[in-house]
Amino acid sequence: MASPAGDGNLYPIAILIDELKNEDVAVRLNSIKRVTTIARALGEERTRKELIPFLNDCGDDEDEVLLAMAEELGDFVQYVGGPAHGHEVLVPLETLATVEETVVRDRAVESLCKVVAELPEASVTDYFSPLIKRLSAGEWFTARVSACGLFAAAYAKAKVQVKSELRSTFEQLCHDETPMVRRAAAQNMGKFVESVETAYASSDLFPLFNRLVADDQDSVRLLAVEACGPFARQLSEDDIMQMLLPVVKRVAQDKSWRVRYNVADQLCQLVKALPVEVTRVELVPLFVSLLNDSEAEVRVAASGKVSQFSKKLESATIGKHIIPCMKELAQDSSQYVRASLASVVMEIAPLLGKQGTIEHLVPTFLTLLKDIYPEVRLNVISKLDQVNQVIGIDLLAQSLLPAIEELSEDKHWRVRLAIIQHIPLLAGQLGADFFQDKLGTQCLKWLEDQVASIREAATTTLMKIAQEFGPDWARDNLVPRVLDMVQSRHYLYRMTILTAIAQLAVVVSADVVHSTMLPAVIDCAKDRVPNVKFSVARQLERLVQESVIDRAAVTSVVKPCLQELCEDSDVDVRFFAGQALVAVEATLAG
């Protein structure tokens, strides 16, 4: 296509203009996503003088186009001449930060923060700080909301005088009459706190935080609470005790459950900043109150933080205050509370030690393992190894093995799958004899499970167990029992057995493979079901490629079998057999 008359370099911008005027949103969206390509074609100077002003005039387009533009401009500094000219990109982003659509504004704020990270200090003073002031003074609340997200990024690169102005401007937004603005200020308080100097965090920002956590809008209070952690990291221990702790005590009793919900996470961050004695006296009662809260959502949040909160506590304190709550939560009326507790309860074992775990936690484990909801049982099972490290396999077997055996036949397949995935770990800790006596039969049963994922996981588990106990043990205890199942009643099970044989063949000796396992696989090539026959082809290919079968057997046994399958009446069997034959011949040639 010929370029327009005149300067050929005008062509890229002409294309962009035409496409952005197109009525089809998809065309405009695609054009915006190619704006970096156009910028490279135009060059840095023309991008600053022509493309940036043009993009700034496109602020009334569809939201998805504006969203794409906001995203692209975040990486645009390099196209306008680098950091020295990076302030040029601020112009269209400032416009996007004032639009009505929240997603667009949020993306524009993210891009503004990326741009300011590349700007020199002088540009922050001359361009970015005035941008924040303009947005903060915007007539419509959307601009002021966007401004709240820019302070932390600007503060790190601002001069002393500008920093003072930024703190003053942020204070105005915290006092804004519009709840949405105060909510945005509360949401960004934590980031701003971490960017300012400790002295100003205490003198300037904490009073604002104290005001926001007492706001009449619970949506403001719950977001403000999230700044507790950043304040705990910034303030001195004395300031935490005298200023922050009273606020935390107050919000822990807030009338809104949504606010109390957020307090649980903040308490864990306070624990890191305070001595153990202060935590025991001041924070433990607050945490216990959240564990016993009247709202299930709050109990969910608190119970999920039990192990994190308890990490710095002495075992005696955990046993006296936390364990009684856990015993009650294990029988809570809400399944979500029980599931939340189950996901972390095992992590308490190292904190309590062997005797404390046996005395306090094992009964709670057993209660949760018998829960009627599969998610609860699943969460407990996934952390079994943490208990074993504390109490040892003998006690674990005595207390939990009956429950594990019951769960191995659970009606929910995800629970059975979780058990299967932990069997190799348990096997190694139980020992060969104990495993064979207690869990060996169940592992073989899983090869004939109705769920394909269970059967597949069972084959992998058997291989890991064989590796754990060695080839001789596998030869005597696993291989014969697996081979006995090769004539299973259902073709899907027979396919699984073939996979299991191929998995075990990698572990046992070559003599066992050639004398018993390979003949069993070859016999299955005569199966009446095509799926089993092409499974034979695939497993033979696998065994040859993994060098499990020697060249003589490949030539005399494997190739004739595959050649026969290549003549099968079923098209799928012929396909897989042909594929396997090519692979086998390539292996022999190599």
Side-chain angles (χ1 to χ4, degrees), residues 355-367:
Q355 189 57 42
T357 298
I358 295 170
E359 182 180 349
H360 298 300
L361 282 192
V362 170
T364 304
F365 299 160
L366 295 175
T367 299

Side-chain angles (χ1 to χ4, degrees), residues 513-540:
V513 173
H514 290 91
S515 63
T516 60
M517 302 177 83
L518 181 58
V521 174
I522 297 297
D523 285 344
C524 290
K526 300 179 177 63
D527 199 281
R528 65 183 183 279
V529 179
N531 301 59
V532 177
K533 288 189 282 189
F534 70 62
S535 183
V536 168
R538 294 171 66 180
Q539 300 307 331
L540 287 174

Side-chain angles (χ1 to χ4, degrees), residues 247-296:
V247 173
V248 173
K249 289 180 178 180
R250 188 172 75 242
V251 295
Q253 305 297 324
D254 195 277
K255 61 183 180 181
S256 170
W257 70 263
R258 291 177 176 85
V259 177
R260 302 197 302 275
Y261 180 95
N262 271 3
V263 172
D265 184 54
Q266 304 309 314
L267 285 179
C268 294
Q269 299 190 49
L270 279 177
V271 168
K272 299 175 184 177
L274 291 172
V276 175
E277 178 65 25
V278 175
T279 297
R280 183 174 66 249
V281 175
E282 301 289 352
L283 298 186
V284 168
L286 296 181
F287 190 70
V288 169
S289 71
L290 295 175
L291 290 173
N292 294 318
D293 198 274
S294 59
E295 292 292 337

Side-chain angles (χ1 to χ4, degrees), residues 55-71:
L55 292 175
N56 191 45
D57 292 336
C58 297
D60 59 349
D61 208 322
E62 296 289 338
D63 291 335
E64 54 189 314
V65 177
L66 298 181
L67 179 63
M69 188 189 304
E71 185 172 0

Side-chain angles (χ1 to χ4, degrees), residues 81-184:
H85 297 280
H87 60 273
E88 301 282 356
V89 185
L90 301 178
V91 178
L93 283 174
E94 180 179 355
T95 301
L96 292 171
T98 64
V99 301
E100 187 173 352
E101 176 54 47
T102 303
V103 177
V104 177
R105 293 201 313 271
D106 289 345
R107 187 57 58 87
V109 169
E110 289 177 19
S111 292
L112 281 167
C113 291
K114 290 176 68 175
V115 170
V116 75
E118 299 185 54
L119 295 182
E121 187 178 283
S123 294
V124 174
T125 301
D126 297 338
Y127 300 101
F128 200 77
S129 180
L131 179 151
I132 293 178
K133 290 181 180 179
R134 289 193 298 273
L135 290 175
S136 300
E139 182 178 354
W140 191 239
F141 79 91
T142 53
R144 304 199 296 278
V145 167
S146 294
C148 293
L150 302 175
F151 286 88
Y155 198 87
K157 305 189 74 171
K159 295 179 179 179
V160 174
Q161 180 59 36
V162 175
K163 287 182 176 181
S164 177
E165 294 173 357
L166 288 173
R167 294 195 302 271
S168 177
T169 304
F170 190 77
E171 180 179 0
Q172 295 173 18
L173 294 172
C174 289
H175 289 82
D176 197 279
E177 61 181 11
T178 306
M180 286 78 81
V181 178
R182 299 199 304 277
R183 186 160 60 234

